[in-house]
Amino acid sequence: MNAPMIVAAVVVVVGLSASFAGVAIRGRLRGLVTMGVGTVVMLGVAGPTRPATLGMTLMAGITLAGMLVFARILARLIDGDEPDRRGIDEARR
Amino acid sequence: MTIGAALPVLLLATSLVPAIATFFIPERSHRLRTALNVIAAVVKVVLVGALVAGVLYFGLEFEWRAAFLPGIDLVLRADPIPLLFVFLSALLWLTTTVYAVGYLADDGHRSRFFGFFGLCVTATVGVALAGNLVTFLVFYELLTVTTYPLVVHDGTAKARAGGRAYLLYTLTGGALLLLGTVWLHALAGPLEFGQTEVVGALAVNHRTTLTIVFVILIVALGFKAALVPLHGWLPQAMVAPAPVSALLHAVAVVKAGAYGIVRVVHDLFGLPLAQDLGVLMPLTIVAAITIVYGSTRALIQDDLKRRLAYSTVSQLSYIVLGISVVSLSSTTGGLVHLVHQGIMKVTLFYCAGNLGKRGVHRVSEMDGIGRRMPVTMLAFTVAAVGMVGIPPTAGFVTKWYLGLGAAEAGQPWIIGVLALSSALNAAYFLPPVARAWLPPDPGERSEPTGRALAGEPGGWLLLPPVATAVSVLGLGILAGAPLSPLTWAAFIAEELMPS
Amino acid sequence: MNALAWLAPVALPIAGALLWPVVGPARRWLLVLAPLPALLLGVFGAPGPPPQLNWLLLEAIADLDIGSRPLLVMTAFVWMVAGASARRIGDDRPAFASLMLLTCAGNVGVLLAADVVTFYVMFAWMTFAAYGLVVHHRTESARRAGRVYVVLAVLGEVALLAGLLLAATHAGTTAMPEVAGSLATAPGRSMIIGLLIGGFGVKVGLVPLHVWLPLAHPAAPVAASAVLSGTMIKAGLVGWLRILPLGEVALPGFGATLIGLGLVGAVLGVVAGTLQSDPKVLLAYSSVSQMGLITTAVGLGLVLPDDATAAVFAAVAYAVHHGIAKASLFLGVGVHKAGTRGWSHRTLLAGMGLAALALAGAPLTTGWIAKQTLKSVADALPEGGGQPLTLALSLAAAGTTVLMVRLLWLVREPSGPRSSPRSDAPADARGVIAPWASIVVAVAVGGWLLPLAVPDAPSLLPLTTSGLWDGLWPVLLGLVPCAGWLRYRPDRRLARASPRPAIPAGDLLLLIERLAPAVSIPAWWLLHRFDAMERRARTFQDVGRVTVRPGALIDHLEDRLTGWRTAGALYVLIGIAVTVALALGTA
Amino acid sequence: MSELSLAAGVLVLVVAGPLLGAVLAVADHGHASSRLVGLVTGLIASAVTVLSVTVAGSGTPLTLVLLAGPGLELTLVADGLAVAMVVMTTIVAIAVAGFATSEDRESPQARHPRFWPVWFALWSALHLLFLAGDLLTAYLMLEAIGVAGAALVSLDGRRHTLLAATRYLYAELVASMTVLAGIALIWHQTGSLRFAELGPELSAHPEGWLALGVVTAGLLLKLPLAPVHLWLPAAHAWAPSAVSPILSAVVVKSAFAVLIRLWFLASPGLVTRHGAQLLGSLGVVAIVWGSVVALRSAHLKQLIAYSTVSQLGFLMLLVPLMQAGSADAWRGGVLYAVAHALAKAALLMAAAVIAEDAERPDVEAVIGAVTRRPLAVFAIGVAALSLVGLPPSGGFVGKWYLLVASLRTGQWWWLPPILVGSLLTAGYLLKLLKRAFATDDLATSRPTASPVAGVGAAPEAAAEPADVGFDARGALALALALVTVVIGVRPAALLELIDIGAPLVTGGG
């Protein structure tokens, strides 16, 4: 675990806790983005700078970005906040 | 697929195929459904006859084996003991089908009923013919599952409560049986019935584990054999329609439990090992307690079918008692009671069904019913007298052999138990008979409330009880005859007894 | 042919019973002819040895030993006579007729059976078929009598079954002679013999177990009572004679108890009998008393093994005599109840007087012969034990005389053709007199035929003068108190005013019936509570619906668990746990 | 060469087939006609059959390297586990396809333009995931499945489905990123992500455990394993009736396959007893907690969702038994996964059919269903057989091996959870069956039968003909359920397939 990986790991953990602790959907979304950036950076600095690492980081980054955009679209579709609990009871009403 | 292997499978098929076919018969075509089921039942009885003749007279070997799990086979083998049970279930399936046709004349779900009915008998035959413990487990669980829809056939709240209790007990029993089977399999590898030496060899260094496994197996089977603490479901499952109570609680389900205990004690562990492990005496004690407990509880049941249910609880333990006492006569008694109890109890349930059709559900409502339903009550009287063990009925033969065996084995206290239970049986079976034939004051006999329609039910409902009642007497009087269940049981007992 | 001779006595009545509803008007003769094969077998014996019947029951064996042959003749004869007088009842109640035939089959079967199982089957068959006869009238008293009869019958049967099982196991076979023989050396012999004595004692009317007899016999119609008291009561005696190890071993203990209980029975029968107002109950108590005497004979057999054959013969002789005499008396009461006028009443009184004399043991009657043989056996008692016993027997004879006078007193007025619907015999007595007359003749003649029927009967016939006097003085002694009573009897109205007898029928029973509730009510209450408790417990099984509370807890916990914050915390926790587990765990 | 190329071709077809379907569906602007769906499904089915036959015949895993480039590696490994999972997915997919097409006429969502393309894409991602030979492909497919699943759930745009989908997607995102972080660590420590190669170096590396721990944590959330099952109830309860079978039966198995492949095929060296026992005990928690909540739930689909949570607990029991070195555990666990998938899909289809009739989502919808939908109720019955583990069903065989393994490896403490779990499963399935047979007062929602008192309640249903028309979808559900019975009676073939390429275990069964 070289030094930059540790910094990226810290960012991941911060993002993780923000995504769970986040108050509203937006709060959680921000947490997820932070965590995403952290993991991609972590992957990027992980291996010796060989084309493989670069390729993987690129691919992982693109897919993560896609997911986050989809999450953003869903968040916008839901007007109002998302319930905290198991998401069944309120949904039924 | 030699004839030796074909017959057992054919035996299974004769009730499986019609059952599945019956599911698809539309509700309206009664005749087709009735014909299919009755013919299937007759064919099965003929096949069983051929099987019995083959085994007893020509000494043929019938076995069907198919790979189930790697290293474990599904085995159907027609040894003498299975034949006894198959013979009983085939015969009583025929009579109960005839009875059910009459009983459910105005029921809306007959295709469903006869379908599951056939599946239940297939499972029973499977349980009987099972050659090893795994096959036994497979059909044992299949029996539990196929009988549930029958118990809740009426769909009322009470039926469902009965069904729930039934499944709660029997599934727990099934889980324990699975545990016991797996444990034995892990210890001894694949295990066939009859190879008692395999388990015997294990006993050298696995004494405690084998005892634990034995206890687990007996408790698991005890749920269906209604040993005392585990009998709770039986009285509640009485909500089922009469033909279901007749077949389930006289032949299929409860007998599977008792039969299982017979197989485990004799064909799996073997009597000498069981005796050596010292597990037989507790089993005898539990059986004795169940006998007395069942009879006392039956004393105060006013509902007729619940009284019969508690009587079944008590009578089943005669079989277990007979098996667990180490002597030739008591083993014979236990085995023959497998057949006798079935036939007597089925008759009682048929009559209870007929009475039910006429609105008589409780013993207190049976005053003077003898005059209005003489044939049904005659059959009921014969079977009741049989249950009490008054000669010359089949019940007496069992009591005689159990008593003889107990004395031979040097446990005279069992004769005390038999005596007490006979007295108790008399106390709860004879009064209803007396009330039926001798209403309190013939002058102004209180006509039971308008509900009870006069007269006997139709032919379909009368034929089975009469047939089985006659056989109760026949088995008693002709007990010594060459092909009677008694000689057959004695033949088996000689084989089983080590001495 | 030989098999037919052996099987017909039992098979014909059974066939008759089953075919009764089918057979046309000729069936009225079936009742009379059913016992005929048994009579022929008894009198002429069978051409060959008994056939092997191992397909029947459990290897049934039939045999006719010396003791039971005369009994068979008597039983068959009494059954024919009873059948004849019951023909009219049979017409309107087919059930009664078939039950009579079934009981006859059982009664005859008991005498023919030679193996323990068949004996027990026939014994039980007879007992439970007789229940139908007892409750024939369906009155409340008949039902109560039936109830008591069944309860005691079941207890008796159960004790008998236990005893026979233990005996048969020790003997290793079911043949009765061997079982009796091996009983002498059986471990736990006293328990087995106790059970057997109790089991048969119920049927014989041994004192504490006799309570059903005074209730059941009168409740049944007259023809049935005749058979119940005449022949069926003897089945218990046959059981004792065949199964107890008479002649093999001396059982002073059991012998003494039997003799004691016999004498108590004799006295109780006389005392309670005289106080009765219903002639049939009186006769029932007389049966208890007479069977008490027979029990003493059996007791003697047990005490003196070498005199056992004499004791057996005495018992059999007495049983035959009592059977015929008692049956004739019961039938006489039947004729009386049926209504007799003028000369028929007088002949009735004469006939019943003759039977009464026989029963009392007046000289030259069958009763006298039987009593004398009994006394001769008693004399053989060692160290002078015989004297008090013969005295007791004579006093019993005196008592019987008193009883008989009371009976004749009760029957003295001609009871015109009352047309009460309840009368169990038809208004006109024609159908009943003929059979009654035939049995009275038998009473007169029977005594002398006895030695002929049993060729090698010991020459005990006491034709000496002392024997005659010995028979006469008890009768005279009995007549003295009767004369006194006749002379100074209290006002007629008082006698009739209190119809309830001082000791009601079934003496000890009333005591038991009062005590029973103290036990049965709490037992019933306990059982019901247990039942209710189990029904309440069942609600526990409805896991889903037990109470709302646990359900709500689960829902609440689940909601929190799936909330973001808790889930997040749990997720991190699990991640760390797994990583740590992988780090420090051994490979 | 020809032999290899045929197999290679088939492998590619298996993975690419569904993609082809997706493209065609998009080309047909979403309204895939049943003919098109039938054609593509048939093609894929035949390809999968050929694949399984060749792999079973050869007895050895089939590997194919598609892209060997430094950056982008893509190798397909068709070993026993992969083929079994692919076969399972195909069977369920065929059933769901039939179900969805026959559903076209009634419910709108099947005709939703985005349904068929996404559905085929999901199918293709599943195939690729099971066949993936390296961790990165597996990771990418996990993400694709997550997105496709969420998309399918939020198909009809109603508020509660959107909420469920969001919750599902967020959980998937967090899990994926954790896995990615783990992958980064593995890449850093071993320089290769191929399952076959990363094992030795990882276990040699001092901090190998950290990487495996992080990936496992991510996979547990994706599975989901009980304590962190926050997203499953909502997603599966509100997924449309055509989607929930795939979600509950197959998608949940994707993370499971990756986990056991990683733990036992890739880096068995790293698997420690404590780690395995921890996962096992989490499994037990899942079994108990899932069943208890299922017993309590009144909502039909929620009950089935929690049943999935509980059944996944059973699957996790395989981990400690495998670690103790029992081949039976691998065999039993994988077969149980297949049997559960088929039974759960059948159960969901049957429940969907019945719930549609009653137009009410709660458990009361099933009342009196036996008269209206006999085949569907029968399907529920047979599916229950397998879920509870009663013979003759695949579930029984799976549990049998788990029990034998736990006894043979001496870890007897897994016996009670399995048995009690089975009984609890029976409990909540009985809730459905009990109501299915109800014909009297309980039928408050639909006055199907006026309760006839007195002798034998003969509901006046006898008057109206008891057999409704042949409902195709009920029959389909029943057919799927009967497949588990076939597995239960003849498990030998499937067991041999699963044994191919099974992790080499020392000692044990």
Side-chain angles (χ1 to χ4, degrees):
Chain A
M1 279 267 281
N2 52 31
M5 282 188 80
I6 294 171
V7 167
V10 165
V11 170
V12 165
V13 170
V14 163
L16 175 70
S17 47
S19 68
F20 275 112
V23 172
I25 291 186
R26 271 169 201 67
R28 261 195 287 288
L29 206 56
R30 273 196 295 279
L32 284 176
V33 169
T34 335
M35 187 176 175
V37 166
T39 41
V40 170
V41 164
M42 195 171 162
L43 182 61
V45 301
T49 54
R50 281 179 286 152
T53 325
L54 197 61
M56 280 201 312
T57 322
L58 205 63
M59 204 156 57
I62 293 164
T63 46
L64 267 187
M67 285 178 79
L68 288 171
V69 163
F70 180 50
R72 184 79 188 79
I73 297 165
L74 278 179
R76 205 176 316 107
L77 283 175
I78 300 164
D79 47 16
D81 194 5
E82 187 209 21
D84 179 50
R85 296 175 26 258
R86 52 176 141 170
I88 287 182
D89 310 339
E90 315 71 29
R92 186 184 309 130
R93 267 197 298 281
Chain B
M1 188 58 118
T2 64
I3 176 73
L7 209 52
V9 177
L10 213 57
L11 216 58
L12 277 184
T14 41
S15 48
L16 184 64
V17 169
I20 295 172
T22 316
F23 275 118
F24 295 103
I25 294 178
E27 191 62 30
R28 281 177 309 288
S29 46
H30 311 308
R31 256 181 307 287
L32 171 65
R33 176 180 40 244
T34 313
L36 178 67
N37 279 287
V38 171
I39 291 166
V42 169
V43 164
K44 185 185 269 293
V45 169
V46 167
L47 276 178
V48 166
L51 203 63
V52 165
V55 172
L56 283 190
Y57 288 102
F58 306 104
L60 294 174
E61 194 46 49
F62 291 99
E63 187 181 285
W64 171 77
R65 193 174 282 274
F68 174 47
L69 301 174
I72 304 173
D73 293 345
L74 275 179
V75 182
L76 291 177
R77 193 175 35 246
D79 299 334
I81 300 187
L83 283 189
L84 196 66
F85 190 26
V86 167
F87 170 78
L88 177 77
S89 44
L91 265 180
L92 293 188
W93 182 39
L94 177 60
T95 54
T96 312
T97 310
V98 166
Y99 184 78
V101 166
Y103 188 84
L104 297 169
D106 49 16
D107 183 290
H109 309 290
R110 267 166 295 168
S111 283
R112 185 179 87 206
F113 179 88
F114 281 105
F116 282 116
F117 207 67
L119 288 180
C120 168
V121 174
T122 318
T124 318
V125 169
V127 160
L129 291 175
N132 60 19
L133 199 54
V134 171
T135 327
F136 180 84
L137 172 71
V138 167
F139 284 107
Y140 190 79
E141 294 287 21
L142 201 60
L143 184 60
T144 312
V145 171
T146 46
T147 41
Y148 175 75
L150 294 174
V151 173
V152 291
H153 181 73
D154 287 346
T156 57
K158 227 153 61 70
R160 287 200 305 286
R164 159 200 287 275
Y166 169 68
L167 270 191
L168 197 65
Y169 279 81
T170 41
L171 279 181
T172 322
L176 279 177
L177 188 62
L178 175 64
L179 177 61
T181 316
V182 164
W183 201 330
L184 213 52
H185 176 74
L187 279 174
L191 213 58
E192 300 278 329
F193 280 135
Q195 294 174 341
T196 50
E197 65 284 354
V198 172
V199 177
L202 272 172
V204 174
N205 39 33
H206 288 278
R207 280 187 69 79
T208 40
T209 16
L210 272 187
T211 325
I212 297 170
V213 168
F214 183 87
V215 168
I216 289 177
L217 285 177
I218 292 298
V219 166
L221 295 165
F223 276 97
K224 278 199 174 158
L227 294 177
V228 157
L230 320 169
H231 67 289
W233 60 276
L234 209 139
Q236 292 166 52
M238 275 302 118
V239 291
V244 173
S245 310
L247 189 73
L248 258 56
H249 300 305
V251 175
V253 173
V254 285
K255 277 294 159 37
Y259 177 74
I261 292 178
V262 169
R263 292 290 262 181
V264 163
V265 169
H266 276 289
D267 283 350
L268 206 58
F269 279 73
L271 220 52
L273 176 63
Q275 198 174 15
D276 174 32
L277 291 173
V279 282
L280 285 184
M281 179 45 82
L283 187 59
T284 321
I285 292 171
V286 167
I289 294 171
T290 314
I291 290 177
V292 174
Y293 175 83
S295 307
T296 34
R297 286 302 303 277
L299 270 177
I300 51 164
Q301 303 299 336
D302 189 27
D303 180 83
L304 182 55
K305 280 176 85 174
R306 278 179 69 84
R307 180 171 290 203
L308 293 183
Y310 277 110
S311 142
T312 306
V313 169
S314 159
Q315 290 284 330
L316 274 172
S317 289
Y318 279 101
I319 301 171
V320 177
L321 186 79
I323 290 309
S324 56
V325 169
V326 183
S327 84
L328 188 64
S329 312
S330 71
T331 317
T332 320
L335 286 173
V336 87
H337 200 54
L338 207 67
V339 176
H340 289 179
Q341 199 264 349
I343 291 181
M344 288 191 286
K345 190 40 68 70
V346 141
T347 321
L348 288 172
F349 275 115
Y350 290 155
C351 301
N354 288 357
L355 292 173
K357 278 276 181 190
R358 290 292 171 264
V360 172
H361 296 288
R362 316 184 74 80
V363 170
S364 47
E365 294 162 354
M366 281 175 77
D367 292 351
I369 194 82
R371 199 164 306 291
R372 280 190 288 104
M373 298 172 77
V375 177
T376 309
M377 277 322 293
L378 209 59
F380 187 91
T381 313
V382 167
V385 157
M387 295 298 269
V388 177
I390 298 168
T393 59
F396 164 69
V397 172
T398 314
K399 284 225 164 89
W400 178 261
Y401 267 85
L402 285 181
L404 219 56
E408 267 167 31
Q411 295 175 342
W413 62 275
I414 292 181
I415 293 184
V417 168
L418 289 178
L420 174 63
S421 98
S422 304
L424 286 170
N425 287 353
Y428 68 79
F429 265 122
L430 296 187
V433 168
R435 297 174 81 118
W437 293 109
L438 312 161
D441 30 41
E444 53 294 331
R445 180 175 51 252
S446 59
E447 201 51 39
T449 50
R451 265 189 303 95
L453 321 170
E456 290 281 9
W460 288 94
L461 289 171
L462 273 187
L463 193 60
V466 167
T468 42
V470 164
S471 52
V472 165
L473 280 175
L475 289 185
I477 294 172
L478 305 176
L483 204 57
S484 81
L486 183 64
T487 16
W488 196 344
F491 167 74
I492 296 170
E494 265 133 37
E495 259 178 42
L496 290 177
M497 292 309 284
S499 56
Chain C
M1 181 39 201
N2 170 41
L4 187 65
W6 282 100
L7 287 181
V10 177
L12 184 60
I14 296 180
L18 295 182
L19 302 177
W20 181 264
V22 174
V23 176
R27 63 184 179 189
R28 291 178 54 189
W29 292 103
L30 203 56
L31 264 177
V32 180
L33 297 179
L36 192 58
L39 188 66
L40 297 177
L41 180 65
V43 173
F44 303 108
Q52 266 302 347
L53 306 164
N54 46 25
W55 52 269
L56 180 65
L57 294 175
L58 307 172
E59 286 96 26
I61 311 164
D63 195 2
L64 195 56
D65 55 19
I66 306 308
S68 45
R69 194 155 169 199
L71 277 173
L72 182 62
V73 170
M74 181 273 285
T75 309
F77 177 71
V78 169
W79 266 100
M80 285 177 70
V81 168
S85 66
R87 271 177 304 158
R88 206 152 270 101
I89 310 173
D91 290 348
D92 51 30
R93 279 285 182 81
F96 176 77
S98 7
L99 282 174
M100 277 285 274
L101 287 168
L102 281 178
T103 323
C104 167
N107 203 195
V108 168
V110 160
L111 295 170
L112 288 179
D115 77 293
V116 169
V117 174
T118 323
F119 183 88
Y120 180 74
V121 167
M122 291 300 165
F123 190 83
W125 181 308
M126 175 183 77
T127 313
F128 285 98
Y131 171 77
L133 306 183
V134 169
V135 289
H136 167 70
H137 286 307
R138 301 222 182 348
T139 57
E140 188 38 40
S141 67
R143 283 169 54 80
R144 172 168 171 266
R147 246 198 320 277
V148 171
Y149 174 80
V150 165
V151 166
L152 275 166
V154 165
L155 292 179
E157 296 287 325
V158 163
L160 200 54
L161 181 65
L164 291 179
L165 274 173
L166 290 170
T169 329
H170 176 69
T173 78
T174 55
M176 263 180 158
E178 283 82 12
V179 170
S182 79
L183 201 52
T185 58
R189 175 183 59 189
S190 50
M191 187 175 79
I192 299 176
I193 292 182
L195 284 171
L196 291 177
I197 286 182
F200 289 122
V202 169
K203 183 64 72 188
V204 162
L206 202 60
V207 163
L209 308 170
H210 72 292
V211 285
W212 63 274
L213 213 132
L215 287 169
H217 288 198
V222 167
S225 311
V227 174
L228 272 165
S229 269
T231 61
M232 289 171 62
I233 209 166
K234 308 301 184 296
L237 173 68
V238 169
W240 274 346
L241 298 184
R242 286 210 184 135
I243 204 77
L244 292 180
L246 298 164
E248 266 93 32
V249 70
L251 295 165
F254 281 108
T257 28
L258 275 185
I259 294 172
L261 288 178
L263 291 180
V264 165
V267 168
L268 175 77
V270 164
V271 167
T274 20
L275 297 173
Q276 297 305 328
S277 53
D278 172 357
K280 290 174 80 176
V281 177
L282 181 141
L283 283 174
Y285 268 110
S286 145
S287 299
V288 171
S289 146
Q290 298 295 321
M291 288 311 286
L293 297 179
I294 296 180
T295 316
T296 44
V298 175
L300 286 171
L302 282 177
V303 171
L304 314 158
D306 37 30
D307 290 340
T309 42
V312 163
F313 176 68
V316 166
Y318 207 105
V320 169
H321 139 70
H322 174 260
I324 298 174
K326 187 50 59 62
S328 70
L329 285 174
F330 262 109
L331 291 179
V333 167
V335 166
H336 171 68
K337 211 183 276 275
T340 49
R341 298 227 45 72
W343 65 270
S344 61
H345 184 63
R346 272 191 296 285
T347 45
L348 173 69
L349 282 184
M352 290 188 74
L354 176 65
L357 279 175
L359 209 58
L364 299 178
T365 62
T366 52
W368 174 57
I369 302 167
K371 278 204 167 60
Q372 288 314 105
T373 43
L374 193 56
K375 283 193 179 117
S376 62
V377 174
D379 293 345
L381 265 178
E383 77 286 330
Q387 286 321 336
L389 194 56
T390 38
L391 183 62
L393 286 176
S394 312
L395 285 180
T400 315
T401 322
V402 171
L403 208 59
M404 285 310 117
V405 167
R406 172 73 178 149
L407 171 71
L408 295 177
W409 170 262
L410 287 173
V411 186
R412 67 190 186 292
E413 282 110 21
S415 61
R418 281 173 295 104
S419 59
S420 71
R422 268 272 193 283
S423 87
D424 52 37
D428 58 325
R430 266 191 336 285
V432 187
I433 284 202
W436 171 72
S438 61
I439 196 159
V440 168
V441 166
V443 168
V445 170
W448 305 104
L449 289 178
L450 197 58
L452 300 180
V454 184
D456 49 17
S459 57
L460 294 168
L461 296 190
L463 291 182
T464 58
T465 51
S466 68
L468 284 173
W469 169 248
D470 205 9
L472 194 59
W473 70 266
V475 173
L476 299 178
L477 179 66
L479 289 178
V480 164
C482 302
W485 183 73
L486 269 174
R487 184 74 183 64
Y488 306 104
R489 73 182 188 283
D491 186 315
R492 190 189 297 271
R493 270 188 316 287
L494 177 64
R496 188 156 294 107
S498 65
R500 263 184 51 69
I503 302 182
D507 34 77
L508 290 180
L509 190 65
L510 303 171
L511 206 63
I512 299 167
E513 275 176 345
R514 235 170 251 107
L515 289 177
V519 173
S520 68
I521 289 182
W524 225 248
W525 176 77
L526 201 65
L527 279 175
H528 275 290
R529 273 192 55 72
F530 190 74
D531 206 45
M533 194 174 66
E534 194 192 41
R535 197 164 285 123
R536 262 201 311 283
R538 196 166 318 120
T539 49
F540 166 73
Q541 281 175 9
D542 309 339
V543 168
R545 283 195 301 276
V546 173
T547 52
V548 179
R549 213 173 33 72
L553 177 69
I554 294 173
D555 287 344
H556 173 63
L557 207 58
E558 175 60 8
D559 283 346
R560 282 186 55 81
L561 205 59
T562 47
W564 280 97
R565 276 184 198 74
T566 4
L570 271 174
Y571 178 55
V572 169
L573 198 68
I574 286 177
I576 293 167
V578 170
T579 320
V580 163
L582 285 174
L584 51 87
T586 55
Chain D
M1 189 43 200
S2 67
E3 176 60 41
L4 196 61
S5 64
L6 168 70
V10 161
L11 256 179
V12 167
L13 187 61
V14 160
V15 171
L19 268 185
L20 172 68
V23 166
L24 287 177
V26 167
D28 195 2
H29 40 72
H31 298 296
S33 64
S34 51
R35 250 186 338 7
L36 170 80
V37 169
L39 184 69
V40 173
T41 321
L43 180 71
I44 300 163
S46 47
V48 165
T49 337
V50 169
L51 174 69
S52 48
V53 164
T54 43
V55 170
S58 72
T60 56
L62 186 70
T63 51
L64 173 67
V65 177
L66 284 175
L67 294 168
L72 268 179
E73 290 168 45
L74 179 55
T75 48
L76 299 182
V77 173
D79 62 358
L81 170 67
V83 172
M85 287 295 147
V86 163
V87 165
M88 167 189 81
T89 319
T90 313
I91 295 175
V92 172
I94 292 169
V96 167
F99 190 86
T101 39
S102 64
E103 194 187 27
D104 268 357
R105 281 177 301 288
E106 290 100 15
S107 76
Q109 77 240 89
R111 280 196 305 284
H112 191 284
R114 290 209 304 277
F115 175 76
W116 285 109
V118 177
W119 190 77
F120 277 116
L122 174 63
W123 188 356
S124 159
L126 282 167
H127 277 197
L128 187 52
L129 175 120
F130 291 128
L131 293 166
D134 65 294
L135 195 51
L136 186 67
T137 326
Y139 161 72
L140 292 175
M141 285 310 114
L142 278 175
E143 277 192 348
I145 290 165
V147 169
L152 285 173
V153 167
S154 63
L155 210 54
D156 57 12
R158 283 179 296 172
R159 177 168 163 67
H160 51 268
T161 49
L162 282 175
L163 283 171
T166 318
R167 170 181 282 269
Y168 178 22
L169 190 64
Y170 283 18
E172 287 292 326
L173 267 168
V174 169
S176 302
M177 290 177 208
T178 323
V179 170
L180 189 61
I183 287 174
L185 285 169
I186 293 175
W187 175 253
H188 170 71
Q189 289 166 10
T190 63
S192 150
L193 287 174
R194 278 243 190 80
F195 284 122
E197 291 158 6
L198 64 85
E201 282 130 32
L202 197 62
S203 34
H205 198 282
E207 292 155 355
W209 46 269
L210 178 64
L212 189 62
V214 169
V215 171
T216 310
L219 288 174
L220 290 186
L221 175 59
K222 198 172 265 297
L223 197 59
L225 196 58
V228 283
H229 58 287
L230 70 163
W231 58 269
L232 186 130
H236 288 198
W238 291 112
S241 59
V243 171
S244 53
I246 282 281
L247 279 185
S248 297
V250 183
V251 165
V252 287
K253 303 296 182 335
S254 55
F256 171 70
V258 173
L259 180 72
I260 53 177
R261 190 183 290 284
L262 186 64
W263 270 49
F264 297 106
L265 285 171
S267 57
L270 268 174
V271 174
T272 61
R273 182 176 166 80
H274 293 284
Q277 290 298 326
L278 175 68
L279 250 61
S281 23
L282 284 176
V284 170
V285 165
I287 293 175
V288 173
W289 184 249
S291 315
V292 162
V293 178
L295 269 172
R296 281 297 310 155
S297 50
H299 187 280
L300 183 57
K301 289 238 174 134
Q302 179 189 346
L303 182 141
I304 298 175
Y306 277 109
S307 154
T308 310
V309 168
S310 160
Q311 296 291 327
L312 288 174
F314 281 106
L315 295 185
M316 289 316 292
L317 292 185
L318 168 133
V319 171
L321 295 172
M322 275 300 294
Q323 189 268 340
S326 151
D328 284 345
W330 174 267
R331 205 183 283 165
V334 173
L335 188 119
Y336 190 79
V338 172
H340 166 264
L342 300 177
K344 183 53 65 68
L347 179 65
L348 271 165
M349 280 201 269
V353 164
I354 293 173
E356 262 161 35
D357 286 357
E359 292 108 22
R360 51 183 300 172
D362 59 6
V363 180
E364 310 313 326
V366 190
I367 292 164
V370 81
T371 45
R372 298 195 308 279
R373 293 275 184 182
L375 286 182
V377 170
F378 208 62
I380 291 182
V382 176
L385 260 183
S386 185
L387 290 172
V388 173
L390 293 170
S393 69
F396 168 74
V397 174
K399 281 191 176 154
W400 168 270
Y401 276 111
L402 287 180
L403 288 169
V404 168
S406 47
L407 271 171
R408 285 245 165 88
T409 55
Q411 304 186 20
W412 51 267
W413 49 86
W414 301 122
L415 287 175
I418 295 179
L419 294 177
V420 168
S422 309
L423 287 178
L424 289 173
T425 318
Y428 59 72
L429 289 176
L430 178 64
K431 265 175 86 164
L432 297 182
L433 279 172
K434 188 171 75 154
R435 285 171 170 73
F437 283 99
T439 52
D440 63 344
D441 53 350
L442 195 62
T444 46
S445 66
R446 289 170 53 81
T448 49
S450 60
V452 174
V455 174
E460 106 294 282
E464 105 217 16
D467 4 292
V468 292
F470 177 75
D471 67 23
R473 291 186 291 158
L476 208 57
L478 181 57
L480 195 56
L482 287 177
V483 172
T484 55
V485 174
V486 168
I487 292 178
V489 175
R490 270 286 183 281
L494 189 56
L495 287 172
E496 272 133 33
L497 179 69
I498 293 171
D499 280 349
I500 299 167
L504 298 158
V505 284
T506 53

